[in-house]
């Protein structure tokens, strides 16, 4: 057993930390997050040039990583700086699918940052279930088209292509299709997200599509791809919590009331201690999940569900406690905490919330 | 022991319901139930309706134009108003300043200021907190120095709710910097149009624009605006806190949120079933409903205690803690109910004339924003930690 990060992982997270410190200004992040696109394209390209997209994929497809620990290392480091360039939503799962379905030319461009591909899976916005897409695909004269609606497609704006899940007339199993974002009969209704970012509801109308992989054969592939995205947002949340914890401790050490720093009040000391305990547990959950990404499907699913449940519960707890312990200042746009807290709580709404994963866990 | 509302109470409830039915604008109610901030005009228009009915001052004693309702009737009025989606009466003038003026103000002050807060002449805001003085309010530094017939005020107030709409502010200021901090504070009324005052908005992290900071530079205020005696302001502020017991538990608002959430849980689907049938969600909802039932009785028990001569004491701290956290829990669960759609930020669906597509159900378009915004209710008005300190001291005597 070895819990020490490898030299490569230390360097990777160091490099991202330095980038954030020197080149990632939170004010710019917040205004980019609330711009139409929801992020900065330039920053995305810079991240790709630094090799951060490459770290998410194995050597065989032109990357230099792709393991669970590579993914968790990258996103924990990005989370610390609240980086919202859509590496999860435009590259990680979609790249995994492209790689597994032999789209070598596309994956190369994806790693270099020239290409971004969104993932459109959800049809019922109240739900987290991606396992039962409706039949949106149709094959006429050997040509596939897609018609119907998907909701909450994160960062669809600015992508080059979208991967869509569907069943087909000949198979109840999941098929995946690749669609050009600029194709005919594709209508994006785009809006901002509360944590600073963008999402779209998409209407497809006989939109031409390419089948990726075997017809009706992509359930396992999609499950593996989603496991990667789920791990990534869990690690991101861990990074965010680490930053929130540091902000809170710093504030408790400096804010004075009643003639002393508020960190001297035992009521707050115990709550901060509890915050620390919970974050340690969250870290273990993410470690388990990173470790299990290449394990058996069963073990992977259990570990991912356990991690996402833990992150969801602990994330909301940490966000709320930190704001409370800051008092009024924690409620302001100007102060950084609120933006970290919004993203942290919203992570519970991506790839299944805590209740969803708790239920999943009971079925394994 | 009899927990039933009396026949008279029930008749009263009906009267309130009918009134709300006939007088509350649906536009306003819809916005309120969707957690959208109202405009100044909308708030003022509801005040005017209540004023016409003689209910704007429902919490005032009869001799000042109050309704003479007992505390249970006041509770019923607040509950029904919230359930119907009526705006809350702005507390700063009518519920905070008015009782202080009645108890400690001069006859001239009462005769002048009380009618003006009823007929919409004045919009008051509260100038207590300062950047360095939040929980430790008594350490406040904004100073008022006597100069002939005036006081000259210098300093800064902050977190001033809806100050952007206000023309008047009541402030706690320092008139004596020596001795015990509490003993050097005065209560003074300031016209915001006085030269030397600058109000700047503070944006909250949910994007809202409801709080402000107010800067005072050599602001001349007539000494006749001092309430009561110099250096007695702390006593007045404390009097106010102890009397602020009605409505503090927000039972009505939580009830409205419960109704809304139950409806949502029937219309939203998880898999092929309504969300209401999801066992984890159902359990979460049940827990909140039980808490709310308990709180309603806790609140009425406290009011009954007052009617029988107890308090006012730290009971309001108790109601504030439970009530604020329960309200937050309802916003939290409502956000959860929205699933993926909780992330969508689409307040534009509430703009007049909007006819584009919707993402979440229309009345939920602002839910996550409201959830974040409502983190404030356990911070303002004396944070919940401070309320617990009060309970520790006054009830537990630890
Ligand atoms: C949205 C909003 C609206 C507001 N509106 C108004 C208004 O209209 N007028 C006005 O005057 N003020 C207003 N306030 C200010 C509000 O009353 C203060 O924010 C509040 O009193 C807390 O003070 P603070 O923000 O300085 O936090 P601090 O006092 O710095 O507290 C920081 C943290 O320390 C905790 N803490 C402090 N002392 C202790 C202790 N002894 N033991 C344990 N814990 C402690 C607090 O509970 C909090 O968690 C508003 C605040 C907000 C957020």
């Amino acid at each position: 057993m070895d819990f020490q990060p490898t030299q490569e992982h230390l360097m990777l997270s160091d490099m991202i930390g330095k980038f954030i410190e020197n080149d990632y200004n939170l004010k710019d992040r917040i205004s980019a997050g609330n711009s139409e696109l929801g992020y900065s394209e330039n920053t995305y390209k810079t991240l790709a040039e630094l090799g951060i997209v490459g770290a998410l994929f194995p050597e065989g497809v032109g990357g230099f990583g792709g393991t669970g620990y590579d993914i968790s290392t990258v996103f924990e480091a990005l989370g610390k700086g609240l980086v919202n360039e859509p590496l999860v939503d435009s590259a990680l799962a979609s790249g995994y699918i492209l790689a597994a379905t032999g789209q070598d030319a596309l994956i190369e461009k994806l790693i270099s940052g020239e290409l971004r591909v969104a993932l459109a899976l959800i049809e019922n916005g109240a739900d987290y279930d991606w396992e039962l897409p409706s039949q949106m695909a149709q094959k006429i004269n050997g040509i596939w088209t897609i018609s119907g609606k998907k909701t909450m497609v994160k960062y669809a704006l600015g992508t080059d292509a979208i991967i869509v899940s569907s069943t087909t007339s000949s198979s109840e199993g999941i098929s995946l299709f690749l669609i050009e974002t600029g194709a005919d009969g594709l209508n994006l209704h785009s809006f901002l997200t509360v944590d600073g970012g963008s999402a779209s509801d998409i209407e497809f109308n006989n939109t031409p599509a390419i089948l990726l992989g075997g017809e009706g054969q992509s359930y396992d592939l999609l499950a593996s791809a989603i496991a990667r995205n789920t791990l990534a947002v869990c690690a991101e949340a861990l990074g965010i919590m680490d930053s929130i914890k540091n902000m809170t401790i710093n504030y408790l050490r400096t804010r004075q009331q009643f003639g002393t720093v508020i960190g001297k009040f035992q009521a707050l000391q115990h709550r901060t201690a509890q915050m620390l305990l919970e974050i340690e547990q969250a870290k273990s959950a993410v470690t388990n999940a990173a470790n299990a990404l290449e394990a058996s499907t069963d073990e992977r699913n259990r570990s991912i569900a356990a991690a996402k449940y833990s992150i969801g519960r602990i994330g909301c707890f940490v966000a709320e406690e930190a704001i409370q312990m800051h008092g009024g200042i924690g409620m302001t746009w100007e102060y950084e905490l609120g933006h970290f807290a919004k993203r942290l709580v919203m992570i519970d709404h991506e790839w299944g919330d805590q209740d969803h994963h708790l239920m999943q866990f009971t079925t394994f | 022991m009899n927990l039933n509302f009396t026949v008279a109470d029930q008749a009263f409830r009906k009267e309130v319901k009918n009134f709300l039915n006939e007088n509350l604008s649906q536009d306003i109610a819809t916005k309120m139930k969707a957690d959208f901030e109202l405009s100044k005009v909308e708030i003022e228009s509801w005040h005017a309706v209540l004023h016409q009915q003689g209910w704007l001052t429902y919490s005032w004693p009869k001799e000042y134009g109050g309704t003479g309702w007992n505390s249970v009737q006041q509770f019923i009025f607040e509950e029904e108003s919230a359930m119907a989606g009526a705006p809350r009466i702005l507390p700063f003038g009518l519920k905070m300043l008015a009782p202080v003026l009645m108890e400690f103000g001069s006859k001239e002050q009462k005769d002048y200021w009380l009618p003006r807060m009823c007929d919409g002449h004045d919009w008051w805001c509260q100038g207590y907190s300062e950047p360095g003085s939040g929980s430790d309010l008594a350490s406040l530094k904004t100073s008022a120095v006597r100069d002939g017939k005036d006081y000259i005020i210098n300093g800064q107030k902050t977190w001033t709710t809806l100050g952007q709409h206000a023309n008047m502010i009541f402030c706690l200021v320092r008139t004596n910097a020596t001795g015990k901090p509490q003993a050097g504070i005065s209560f003074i009324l300031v016209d915001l149009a006085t030269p030397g005052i600058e109000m700047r908005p503070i944006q909250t992290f949910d994007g809202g624009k409801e709080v402000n900071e107010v800067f005072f530079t050599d602001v001349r205020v007539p000494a006749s605006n001092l309430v009561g005696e110099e250096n007695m302001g702390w006593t007045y502020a404390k009097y106010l806190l102890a009397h602020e017991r009605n409505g503090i538990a927000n039972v009505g608002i939580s009830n409205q949120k419960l109704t809304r959430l139950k409806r949502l849980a029937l219309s939203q689907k998880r898999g092929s079933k309504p969300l209401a049938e999801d066992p984890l969600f159902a359990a979460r909802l049940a827990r909140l409903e039980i808490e709310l039932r308990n709180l309603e009785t806790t609140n009425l028990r406290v009011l009954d205690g007052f009617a029988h001569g107890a308090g006012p004491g730290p009971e309001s701290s108790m109601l504030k803690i439970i009530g604020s956290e329960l309200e937050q829990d309802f916003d939290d669960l409502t956000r959860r109910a929205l699933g993926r759609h909780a992330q969508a930020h689409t307040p534009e669906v509430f703009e007049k004339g909007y006819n584009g597509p919707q993402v979440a159900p229309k009345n939920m378009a602002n839910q996550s924003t409201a959830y974040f915004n409502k983190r404030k209710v356990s911070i303002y008005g004396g944070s919940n930690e401070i309320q617990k300190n009060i309970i520790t001291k006054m009830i537990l005597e630890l």
Side-chain angles (χ1 to χ4, degrees):
Chain A
M1 202 161 278
D2 181 6
F3 284 104
Q4 298 309 311
T6 62
Q7 206 54 37
E8 284 76 26
H9 288 145
L10 284 176
M11 279 164 57
L12 188 58
S13 86
D14 232 45
M15 191 248 303
I16 297 175
K18 287 221 171 73
F19 165 76
I20 291 167
E21 201 182 317
N22 300 327
D23 300 310
Y24 201 76
N25 174 327
L26 197 71
K27 279 218 157 58
D28 295 342
R29 136 68 166 110
I30 291 164
S31 48
N34 291 284
S35 71
E36 195 191 349
L37 195 60
Y39 67 100
S40 152
E41 252 178 329
N42 277 339
T43 307
Y44 189 97
K45 291 203 172 115
T46 308
L47 291 169
E49 281 158 18
L50 288 172
I52 294 171
V53 184
L56 308 177
F57 298 100
E59 277 174 30
V61 298
F64 56 89
T67 68
Y69 289 118
D70 294 318
I71 294 170
S72 65
T73 302
V74 164
F75 286 98
E76 183 178 351
L78 291 170
K80 286 183 185 171
L82 200 65
V83 174
N84 79 329
E85 277 57 39
L87 299 184
V88 175
D89 296 291
S90 300
L92 182 56
S94 47
Y96 183 80
I97 292 167
L98 293 176
T101 53
Q103 302 287 334
D104 295 349
L106 295 183
I107 184 83
E108 197 184 314
K109 283 186 162 177
L110 193 100
I111 288 174
S112 70
E114 287 162 78
L115 180 87
R116 292 188 290 282
V117 181
L119 207 53
L121 305 176
I122 297 286
E123 290 165 36
N124 168 9
D127 209 348
Y128 295 107
D129 205 347
W130 52 268
E131 296 188 11
L132 296 167
S134 62
Q135 190 189 318
M136 293 169 61
Q138 228 189 351
K139 190 174 177 179
I140 299 174
N141 299 332
I143 293 172
W144 287 103
T145 60
I146 297 278
S147 296
K149 287 182 189 166
K150 296 281 186 186
T151 190
M152 288 306 297
V153 183
K154 291 253 347 252
Y155 295 105
L157 270 187
T159 56
D160 307 278
I162 302 170
I163 293 174
V164 182
S165 62
S166 174
T167 56
T168 63
S169 61
S170 50
S171 173
E172 296 270 282
I174 294 181
S175 302
L176 294 173
F177 295 88
L178 187 67
I179 289 180
E180 274 182 45
T181 311
D184 286 342
L186 188 152
N187 202 348
L188 290 187
H189 168 53
S190 301
F191 43 88
L192 291 180
T193 59
V194 289
D195 47 347
S198 98
S200 305
D201 280 3
I202 307 183
E203 229 182 289
F204 302 91
N205 219 321
N206 289 317
T207 316
I210 299 167
L211 177 68
L212 293 173
E215 187 178 344
Q217 302 299 308
S218 290
Y219 178 92
D220 289 341
L221 172 61
L222 186 55
S224 301
I226 288 175
R228 278 163 172 73
N229 276 7
T230 312
L231 170 64
V233 294
C234 284
E236 180 192 351
L238 198 58
I240 292 176
M241 287 196 271
D242 199 54
S243 291
I244 288 185
K245 184 187 74 186
N246 291 337
M247 277 178 226
T248 307
I249 295 170
N250 281 336
Y251 196 71
L252 293 183
R253 283 187 182 141
T254 46
R255 170 69 172 171
Q256 300 224 356
Q257 289 290 279
F258 301 101
T260 177
V261 291
I262 60 175
K264 290 284 172 221
F265 299 128
Q266 206 163 52
L268 303 187
Q269 290 172 345
H270 282 194
R271 284 163 65 174
T272 317
Q274 186 66 32
M275 195 189 243
L276 179 136
L277 302 183
E278 297 279 11
I279 294 174
E280 286 299 322
Q281 289 285 83
K283 194 176 175 78
S284 295
V286 175
T287 307
N288 286 342
N291 188 56
L293 197 65
E294 288 90 26
S296 69
T297 307
D298 235 30
E299 181 48 28
R300 180 197 72 199
N301 288 348
R302 281 172 70 83
S303 301
I304 292 283
K308 193 62 174 53
Y309 159 75
S310 304
I311 286 292
R313 181 182 68 72
I314 296 167
C316 291
F317 168 79
V318 167
E320 292 179 357
E321 285 287 276
I323 293 171
Q324 182 67 24
M325 290 197 280
H326 273 79
I329 204 82
M331 287 295 301
T332 61
W333 184 275
E334 178 98 13
Y335 190 70
E336 298 181 351
L337 170 63
H339 300 281
F340 281 80
K342 282 191 283 189
R343 176 68 193 137
L344 185 54
V345 171
M346 281 304 128
I347 284 177
D348 196 29
H349 290 271
E350 294 184 355
W351 311 110
D353 71 357
Q354 51 186 291
D355 285 1
H356 177 84
H357 285 286
L358 189 60
M359 270 320 242
Q360 293 284 108
F361 196 87
T362 65
T363 65
F364 297 136
Chain B
M1 191 80 74
N2 177 1
L3 285 189
N4 297 325
F5 286 101
T6 65
V7 174
D9 290 339
Q10 288 168 22
F12 176 75
R13 191 183 286 278
K14 210 158 176 202
E15 184 191 347
V16 172
K17 263 192 173 61
N18 285 341
F19 166 79
L20 290 164
N21 229 338
E22 281 161 24
N23 293 284
L24 178 60
S25 118
Q26 272 322 297
D27 265 6
I28 290 182
T30 309
K31 259 182 149 177
M32 284 294 293
K33 289 181 179 177
D35 284 305
F36 270 83
E37 292 299 324
L38 296 183
S39 67
K40 181 179 189 185
V41 172
E42 285 167 327
I43 297 172
E44 284 177 334
S45 75
W46 183 238
H47 274 202
V49 169
L50 289 176
H51 184 45
Q52 172 106 32
Q53 176 78 359
W55 288 1
L56 184 62
T57 52
Y58 75 97
S59 58
W60 290 12
K62 218 168 173 168
E63 70 259 37
Y64 287 104
T67 50
W69 294 343
N70 63 30
S71 56
V72 173
Q73 288 174 312
Q74 295 190 28
F75 176 89
I76 291 173
F77 172 73
E78 285 156 6
E79 185 171 41
E80 288 301 328
S81 296
M83 293 281 281
R88 292 194 72 178
I89 290 176
L90 265 193
F92 308 109
L94 291 152
K95 291 189 167 178
M96 293 182 172
L97 177 59
V100 170
L101 286 180
M102 288 171 197
E103 189 70 18
F104 307 106
S106 67
K107 178 160 189 324
E108 293 73 41
Q109 286 173 335
K110 292 187 225 186
D111 289 348
Y112 185 75
W113 296 114
L114 292 178
R116 287 171 62 100
M117 60 179 78
C118 298
D119 62 18
H121 259 94
D122 294 328
W123 183 307
W124 286 92
C125 59
Q126 179 193 23
Y128 282 13
S129 307
E130 297 180 5
S133 306
S135 298
D136 182 15
L137 187 57
S139 68
L140 62 90
K141 291 201 180 66
T142 298
S143 68
V145 176
R146 188 68 187 249
D147 181 47
K149 285 187 174 155
D150 299 328
Y151 281 98
I152 298 176
I153 301 185
N154 278 289
Q156 184 194 343
K157 293 294 175 184
T158 191
W159 309 123
T160 319
T161 298
L162 298 184
Q164 71 266 36
H165 300 329
N167 65 318
M168 292 295 299
I169 184 168
F170 58 94
C171 292
L172 292 179
V173 290
R174 182 148 306 283
T175 36
N176 186 352
T178 58
K180 222 177 150 225
Q182 287 83 351
I185 292 171
S186 299
F187 195 110
I188 196 163
L189 313 177
V190 182
D191 185 334
L192 285 166
T194 320
I197 298 182
E198 192 196 343
M199 172 120 29
R200 291 187 205 149
I202 302 176
Q203 196 178 11
T204 48
F205 78 108
D206 56 291
K209 295 201 173 88
E210 61 186 78
V211 284
N212 302 270
E213 44 190 355
V214 192
F215 298 85
F216 297 81
T217 316
D218 295 329
V219 177
R220 243 172 215 285
V221 178
S224 56
N225 278 16
L226 184 78
V227 176
E229 292 172 41
E230 205 179 81
N231 296 328
M232 288 297 286
W234 189 253
T235 311
Y236 308 155
K238 267 187 19 195
Y239 167 87
L240 171 63
L241 285 179
H243 281 77
E244 203 193 342
R245 60 196 184 220
N246 258 317
I248 197 166
N250 274 346
V251 167
I253 289 178
S254 287
N255 253 320
Q256 186 253 312
K257 289 184 173 173
L258 173 68
T259 310
R260 189 180 67 175
L261 186 49
K262 282 184 166 173
R263 241 179 244 147
L264 183 70
L266 287 174
S267 67
Q268 297 286 88
K269 287 229 155 65
R270 288 275 147 93
S272 55
K273 286 187 182 157
L275 175 62
E277 290 174 26
D278 177 283
L280 291 179
F281 182 84
R284 283 183 187 271
L285 183 59
R287 243 179 261 141
L288 292 193
E289 186 166 1
I290 291 167
E291 287 292 333
L292 180 56
R293 286 167 61 95
N294 296 348
L295 177 59
E296 179 150 8
T297 296
T298 305
N299 194 355
L300 288 164
R301 280 202 297 122
V302 169
L303 294 177
D304 185 65
F306 290 144
H308 289 87
E315 291 82 0
S316 54
S317 296
M318 188 164 87
L319 296 178
K320 156 116 209 275
I321 295 170
I322 307 174
S324 60
E325 289 178 0
L326 191 55
E327 186 185 355
Q328 291 175 330
D329 286 346
F330 274 108
D331 282 330
D332 171 65
L333 191 53
T334 310
R335 167 178 64 68
R336 287 175 197 285
L338 292 174
R340 280 305 281 116
H341 277 164
Q343 207 172 9
H345 181 59
T346 55
E348 62 274 7
V349 303
F350 258 81
E351 276 163 22
K352 272 218 154 48
Y354 178 86
N355 55 10
Q358 278 173 32
V359 184
K362 185 173 172 187
N363 69 341
M364 290 291 136
N366 211 36
Q367 246 321 289
S368 291
T369 301
Y371 156 80
F372 288 116
N373 179 272
K374 285 293 168 4
R375 300 317 306 169
K376 71 188 176 188
V377 302
S378 51
I379 295 172
Y380 66 28
S383 75
N384 285 11
E385 290 72 38
I386 294 303
Q387 306 295 346
K388 282 182 185 165
N389 286 350
I390 292 172
I391 290 175
T392 308
K393 262 201 210 110
M394 293 178 68
I395 304 183
L396 306 177
E397 296 182 19
L398 286 171

